[in-house]
Amino acid sequence: MSMTYITKKHDYAATLDEKEPSEDQKSASVKSLLVRTTKLTTVTIKLYRLMVFVRLTIFVLFFKWRVSTALTVISDGTTTVRAMWTMSIAGELWFALMWVLDQLPKMQPVRRTVYVTALEEPRLPTMDVFVTTTDPEKEPPLVTVNTILSILAADYPPDKLTCYVSDDGGALLTREAVAHAACFARLWVPFCRKHGVEPRNPEAYFCPGVKARVVSRADYMGRSWPELARDRRRVRREYEELRLRIDALHAGDVRPQQWSRGTAENHAGVVEVLVGPPGSTPELGVSDLLDLSSVDVRVSAVVYMCREKRHGRVHHRKAGAMNALLRTSAVLSNAPFILNLDCDHYVNNSQALRAGVCLMLDRGGSNVAFVQFPQRFDGVDPADRYANHNRVFFDCTELGLDGLQGPIYVGTGCMFRRAALYNADPPLWRPHGGDRDAGKDVATEADKFGISTPFLGSVRAALGLNRSEQWNTTTKPPRSFDGAAVGEATALVSCGYEDRTVWGRDIGWIYGTVTEDVATGFCMHRRGWRSAYCATAPDAFRGTAPINLTDRLHQVLRWAAGSLEIFFSRNNALLAGARLHPLQRLAYLNTTVYPFTSIFLLLYCLLPAIPLVTRSASAFSVTMPPSGTYMGFVAALMLTLAMVAVLEVRWSGITLGEWWRNEQFWMVSATSAYAAAVVQVALKVSAGKEIAFKLTSKQRASSPGGGVKERFAELYAVRWTVLMVPTAVVLAVNVMSMAAAVQEGRWRKGPAAVLAMAFDAWVVVHLHPFALGLMGRWSKTLSPLLLLVVGFTVLSLCFVLHLHML
C-alpha cells in the first residue's frame, strides 16, 4: 500500500497524490480532509481479479475431471491404489481451498492519503503508549531504552502523551535502565525538537552501523542549522555515556540482584511514576550543553509497571501484561487511544502518531477499533533469506483487507480505541440514542470488569467519550498521578484481580492462545468494529527480526500454534455472527487453518522416497496419470498461477524477489514449523498439554564500530533444533530422487517421470534458503545450487562414459 501524507514543515512521502489543502478548505470541512480513501481500480487490479476467477474456473473443471477419473481407477484398483488416489485428491483440494482463501480477501484493496496538517493541535486527543518487555537477556535494556526515547521525542503534545513500560520479568536491571532513559530524555527530546531530527531513536541516529538518514541543508527541519553539528556532537557524547552506564548495569552489581522483588515468576506488583505529567503550556529551557532558550523542554510522563506474579497462578503471557497496562493506564491517564509497541519497535517517523489519529477521527472513524501499521525491520540481511520483511502479507493481504472490514491485528505497531477494548459495540451497531446509557450500564457490572471503583469510573468515562460524534475524543480526560492513584493502579496489577471476571474473554486482550493479537482483533471485528491500515513514508515504526534460522523457525512455530489454538476455540471464524464481513471471515479462517497444509505437503514431498525404497518408479503412476488432459490442466494451472502472482506484485508494489523469498520460506515453514504446530495443538486438544512459549530473542544494538560481518553474524550461526529434521529429510529425499532419475535415465519413461523430476527440482529450489542455513558460514562461498549443478554434471559425465563403454 502506498499511503502519503503531508507534514508540518516537510514532505516525508516519496510521492504526493494530493496538494496540501488550503486554510479555507481546512476550516470548511476538517473531517473530510483528514483521510482520503480511494479504491484501486487500475487495469492491473482488474486483470488480477479476472485471472483469479479464470483460475477458479479451471479448478472446477480440473476437479470434475480428476474425481471422475479417480472413481474409475479406484473401482478396479488395489487398496494401495485407492489410498494413493484418495490422498492425492484430498491434497489437491486442500491446496486449492487454501489458495482461494488467500486470494479472495485481496480483491478490494484501497489507497489512503492522510493529511496530518488538517488536524489542528488543539484537537489532538490524549494517547497512552504501551511498551512491553520480559527478559533483559533476550530483550536487551538498551533496545528498550531507545524505543522509549523515540516515543518521548515523537511529534505529539507532551502533555497529551504518556508512556507506560511493562516489565513482565520484574527485573531491577530493566527498571534502572528505564530510569536512566527518563533522565537522558530531558536532553534528547529538546534536541530533537530544536533540530527536527529523524529518526528519533538515538541508536539509529548516531551509530553508523545502523541505517540512518543523512540530513542536508535543504532537508533540515529545525530552527538553527549552524548549531546542528555542535549540538549533535554534545548529545552523542551524552548518549555514549548512557550506553556505558546501561552496559555497566547489565554486567555489574545490578545483574545478580535483578530479581530483588522475587523471581521472574514470583514477585510483587509495582507501579512507579518515573516522570510526572508536564503542564499544558510550553516551557523554555536552560542547559549547559545546548541552547534551549526557544525550545519547549517538556517531557511526557513515563510510568514503570511490573505486575504481580505468584507460583500456581496463570499469568497469560503478553496478553496478561497488556491487560494489566490497560487497567493501570485507566486510573492514571485514561487516554481514549492506545498505541501498542514491542520493546524493540521504535518510532521511526515522528509524525506516525498523528497519522494514526487522523484515521481514528476521520468521517466514519468512530467505527474504527484499531489502526495497524506495517512492520518494518532493521538488521535484516540484504537478501532477506528468511522473508523477515514479510512484504506479501503486509503489502498485499493487509492492503486487500483494508478494503473490507480492515487489516488483522499483528501484535505491535497498532493504535487502539480504548472503548473497543472494553467490549463496547461500535456506533454503527448500537441502538439509536442509547450510546451513553448503554456504556454506563456495562461499566457498572463489577463481575465483568472487577471490583475497583476508580477503575469502573474510568471505564464509564472512556465509554462516554465514544459517542456518535467522534470529535469528543479530543476532550482531555482528567489525569491523576498522585499517591492514591498509584496505589489503586498497584492493586489493579495484582494476580488475583481478574478472578471471576471476563478479562481475557470479552474484555481486553484475549487469553487462551499464544497469538493473542489475532484473537483480539478478531473479537473486535466480530462485534462489528472496523480497522484501518496505515503505511507511511518513511516507515512509522521499525524493529528487529530474528535472522538466525533456528530463531526464525521457533517464531513461526509460535505463530502457527497460536493460529490453530484460535481455530479450536470459541473464536473460530466459522462461529462468528453476521457482523463479520463474509470475505473477512474467509481471511480469518485462512489465518487459523494454514498450518494444516503441512500434512499434505509433507506427504507430497516424501513421495519420491517410494521409488528409492522400492527401486521402482511405477509408484508415481497412481497419482500422476500421463494423459494429455492432465498435462493440459497442469500447464493451465501453473500459467494462471504465474500470471496472478505477477499481477499481484504489480498492484501491491512489492518486487518479484520479495514474492519469491516469501514462497521459499513458506515451503521451509510448512515442512517444519507448521507440522510441529499441528502436533503441539493436537496434544493440547487431546491431552490438555499446554504449548510452551519461547520468547524471540531480540538483536542487541550494534556497537558504533561494528561492521557488516558482526551485524549479520547470527545469519551464519547453526543451532540445531528438532524443527529442522523433517525439512532436512525432505531436502535429502528429493535431491537423491533427482540424482537417481538422472543416473537411471527416467526422463525417457514418459511424462509421469518427467513431472516427477520437475517436482523434485521445485522442492529443492524452494528449500534453497534452508540449505544455506544448514551450511552456516560455508554458504558465503559455496552455494547449494552450485553444488547441485556440479553434482549433476558429474553424474551426467559418468552416464555418458557408461554409454561409451557399452
Side-chain angles (χ1 to χ4, degrees):
M1 180 180 186
S2 175
M3 169 176 287
T4 58
Y5 68 96
I6 301 171
T7 61
K8 285 185 173 180
K9 301 180 181 178
H10 183 73
D11 171 24
Y12 278 91
T15 58
L16 284 179
D17 294 337
E18 305 289 343
K19 294 182 179 180
E20 184 174 2
S22 65
E23 294 300 325
D24 293 337
Q25 290 175 317
K26 293 178 186 177
S27 59
S29 179
V30 174
K31 293 183 187 179
S32 63
L33 291 175
L34 287 181
V35 181
R36 180 162 296 172
T37 303
T38 307
K39 290 185 178 181
L40 297 183
T41 56
T42 61
V43 175
T44 302
I45 194 67
K46 291 179 179 178
L47 287 175
Y48 169 76
R49 293 169 183 163
L50 175 63
M51 291 310 304
V52 169
F53 285 115
V54 168
R55 196 163 195 260
L56 285 174
T57 304
I58 297 175
F59 269 135
V60 173
L61 297 175
F62 171 73
F63 284 115
K64 180 181 178 181
W65 170 84
R66 186 73 161 154
V67 172
S68 62
T69 304
L71 292 176
T72 303
V73 175
I74 289 175
S75 61
D76 300 327
T78 63
T79 303
T80 302
V81 171
R82 294 193 188 97
M84 295 290 286
W85 271 94
T86 302
M87 183 204 74
S88 176
I89 294 178
E92 290 164 356
L93 284 170
W94 178 261
F95 294 139
L97 174 64
M98 295 306 298
W99 185 85
V100 170
L101 292 179
D102 180 60
Q103 292 298 323
L104 288 184
K106 302 177 184 178
M107 305 293 279
Q108 302 178 35
V110 297
R111 182 191 303 275
R112 300 186 190 275
T113 302
V114 177
Y115 296 103
V116 177
T117 53
L119 183 59
E120 299 173 357
E121 190 156 308
R123 295 185 181 274
L124 287 174
T126 57
M127 184 178 301
D128 294 334
V129 183
F130 294 173
V131 179
T132 54
T133 182
T134 300
D135 186 351
E137 295 300 318
K138 293 186 176 181
E139 299 172 330
L142 186 60
V143 173
T144 305
V145 162
N146 276 276
T147 297
I148 295 170
L149 291 171
S150 70
I151 294 169
L152 299 179
D155 186 7
Y156 209 82
D159 59 313
K160 293 185 176 182
L161 185 69
T162 305
C163 178
Y164 292 86
V165 182
S166 169
D167 176 18
D168 215 32
L172 182 60
L173 171 60
T174 301
R175 189 268 172 203
E176 292 299 316
V178 174
H180 282 295
C183 293
F184 179 71
R186 301 189 183 280
L187 177 65
W188 173 250
V189 172
F191 168 73
C192 293
R193 288 181 187 148
K194 178 179 179 180
H195 295 291
V197 301
E198 297 281 350
R200 300 189 178 183
N201 172 340
E203 191 71 25
Y205 181 71
F206 288 125
C207 296
V210 182
K211 182 180 179 181
R213 304 182 194 127
V214 178
V215 179
S216 64
R217 182 66 182 91
D219 297 330
Y220 179 67
M221 296 171 54
R223 306 176 183 178
S224 182
W225 169 256
E227 298 179 15
L228 175 61
R230 183 192 62 190
D231 290 352
R232 188 179 187 276
R233 286 194 300 269
R234 293 177 177 179
V235 176
R236 179 172 184 171
R237 184 170 60 249
E238 295 296 318
Y239 175 67
E240 292 300 330
E241 292 181 4
L242 173 67
R243 285 177 57 108
L244 292 175
R245 288 195 295 271
I246 292 177
D247 289 342
L249 289 173
H250 196 268
D253 296 334
V254 174
R255 188 175 177 184
Q257 303 171 10
Q258 62 179 340
W259 310 119
S260 61
R261 291 181 289 271
T263 64
E265 296 299 326
N266 185 35
H267 54 258
V270 175
V271 175
E272 184 179 358
V273 179
L274 298 179
V275 178
S280 57
T281 57
E283 299 176 7
L284 304 182
V286 178
S287 173
D288 295 334
L289 296 175
L290 309 178
D291 179 10
L292 303 177
S293 57
S294 60
V295 180
D296 185 2
V297 297
R298 290 178 300 164
V299 177
S300 300
V302 179
V303 179
Y304 170 85
M305 187 213 75
C306 168
R307 60 174 173 145
E308 181 187 19
K309 285 187 175 182
R310 297 301 177 193
H311 291 307
R313 306 283 303 200
V314 180
H315 305 297
H316 304 291
R317 307 182 182 94
K318 180 181 177 180
M322 295 298 292
N323 284 336
L325 281 172
L326 185 61
R327 295 191 297 271
T328 298
S329 62
V331 296
L332 295 179
S333 53
N334 201 31
F337 298 117
I338 296 168
L339 176 63
N340 158 220
L341 292 176
D342 286 348
C343 67
D344 63 318
H345 272 71
Y346 64 88
V347 179
N348 183 65
N349 186 331
S350 62
Q351 296 280 324
L353 279 64
R354 293 174 181 256
V357 167
C358 285
L359 288 166
M360 290 285 197
L361 301 183
D362 187 46
R363 290 181 302 174
S366 58
N367 292 299
V368 175
F370 62 89
V371 175
Q372 178 65 60
F373 295 83
Q375 294 181 13
R376 307 301 190 208
F377 302 101
D378 293 326
V380 176
D381 55 297
D384 193 14
R385 179 188 294 179
Y386 304 127
N388 279 288
H389 288 303
N390 208 358
R391 294 278 185 175
V392 173
F393 175 77
F394 285 110
D395 296 342
C396 294
T397 303
E398 294 283 70
L399 174 60
L401 290 175
D402 200 21
L404 302 175
Q405 203 169 339
I408 296 172
Y409 168 38
V410 286
T412 183
C414 190
M415 185 180 295
F416 287 94
R417 188 181 300 273
R418 184 181 290 269
L421 291 166
Y422 288 158
N423 197 32
D425 287 332
L428 182 65
W429 292 95
R430 291 186 204 155
H432 181 68
D435 299 341
R436 298 189 65 184
D437 293 337
K440 291 181 179 179
D441 291 342
V442 171
T444 56
E445 298 180 17
D447 58 335
K448 292 184 177 181
F449 289 90
I451 59 174
S452 171
T453 301
F455 176 66
L456 290 177
S458 71
V459 173
R460 293 191 192 96
L463 296 179
L465 288 173
N466 191 48
R467 309 174 201 171
S468 58
E469 175 56 56
Q470 65 264 37
W471 285 108
N472 286 328
T473 53
T474 60
T475 303
K476 188 174 179 180
R479 304 206 300 176
S480 176
F481 290 80
D482 57 18
V486 172
E488 185 64 31
T490 305
L492 289 170
V493 301
S494 64
C495 57
Y497 182 82
E498 295 181 355
D499 294 348
R500 296 178 296 278
T501 66
V502 294
W503 281 97
R505 177 182 173 87
D506 298 320
I507 300 174
W509 276 259
I510 303 302
Y511 298 156
T513 172
V514 293
T515 52
E516 73 292 327
D517 46 2
V518 177
T520 302
F522 169 76
C523 288
M524 294 180 182
H525 283 140
R526 181 176 59 186
R527 291 196 293 269
W529 288 97
R530 285 185 47 80
S531 58
Y533 190 61
C534 184
T536 63
D539 301 325
F541 310 102
R542 296 190 70 88
T544 58
I547 61 174
N548 179 264
L549 177 60
T550 301
D551 293 338
R552 183 75 166 112
L553 289 179
H554 279 288
Q555 183 186 56
V556 174
L557 171 61
R558 185 175 73 251
W559 293 344
S563 296
L564 290 176
E565 284 181 309
I566 296 173
F567 180 74
F568 288 105
S569 71
R570 64 189 290 267
N571 296 317
N572 189 313
L574 297 175
L575 305 178
R579 297 183 182 182
L580 191 66
H581 192 285
L583 293 181
Q584 193 84 17
R585 188 188 305 269
L586 293 183
Y588 273 111
L589 183 62
N590 179 45
T591 302
T592 54
V593 301
Y594 71 88
F596 288 127
T597 303
S598 61
I599 299 174
F600 298 102
L601 188 62
L602 280 173
L603 291 174
Y604 270 70
C605 292
L606 293 176
L607 276 178
I610 297 177
L612 293 176
V613 175
T614 62
R615 306 302 301 168
S616 172
S618 61
F620 285 102
S621 63
V622 299
T623 57
M624 288 186 283
S627 67
T629 305
Y630 181 81
M631 297 290 289
F633 273 122
V634 169
L637 288 172
M638 295 304 295
L639 178 62
T640 52
L641 175 63
M643 293 181 68
V644 169
V646 170
L647 291 171
E648 185 178 34
V649 165
R650 287 292 302 275
W651 67 255
S652 64
I654 65 175
T655 65
L656 278 173
E658 291 168 338
W659 179 87
W660 173 239
R661 279 284 179 255
N662 185 80
E663 292 296 303
Q664 286 184 308
F665 195 72
W666 172 83
M667 173 67 80
V668 175
S669 302
T671 55
S672 57
Y674 294 178
V678 172
V679 174
Q680 285 188 352
V681 175
L683 290 175
K684 178 179 179 179
V685 173
S686 60
K689 181 178 175 58
E690 287 295 326
I691 296 177
F693 178 84
K694 184 174 182 179
L695 184 67
T696 302
S697 179
K698 273 66 174 180
Q699 298 175 358
R700 291 182 179 273
S702 304
S703 61
V708 175
K709 292 184 178 180
E710 180 182 342
R711 289 178 58 197
F712 301 127
E714 284 291 301
L715 181 67
Y716 306 104
V718 180
R719 303 190 184 100
W720 183 255
T721 173
V722 69
L723 295 178
M724 297 179 179
V725 173
T727 310
V729 171
V730 167
L731 180 61
V733 164
N734 284 271
V735 169
M736 288 189 294
S737 177
M738 291 177 64
V742 171
Q743 187 175 13
E744 299 173 8
R746 291 182 190 167
W747 65 83
R748 294 175 296 182
K749 297 182 180 181
V754 174
L755 284 177
M757 289 185 60
F759 180 78
D760 293 336
W762 180 82
V763 173
V764 172
V765 170
H766 274 74
L767 295 181
H768 179 238
F770 178 79
L772 290 174
L774 292 184
M775 293 176 65
R777 294 191 175 277
W778 287 97
S779 64
K780 295 181 179 180
T781 54
L782 297 177
S783 169
L785 285 180
L786 176 62
L787 295 177
L788 196 61
V789 171
V790 172
F792 272 105
T793 303
V794 173
L795 286 173
S796 300
L797 290 175
C798 292
F799 179 71
V800 171
L801 291 174
H802 177 69
L803 290 179
H804 282 288
M805 293 175 63
L806 292 179

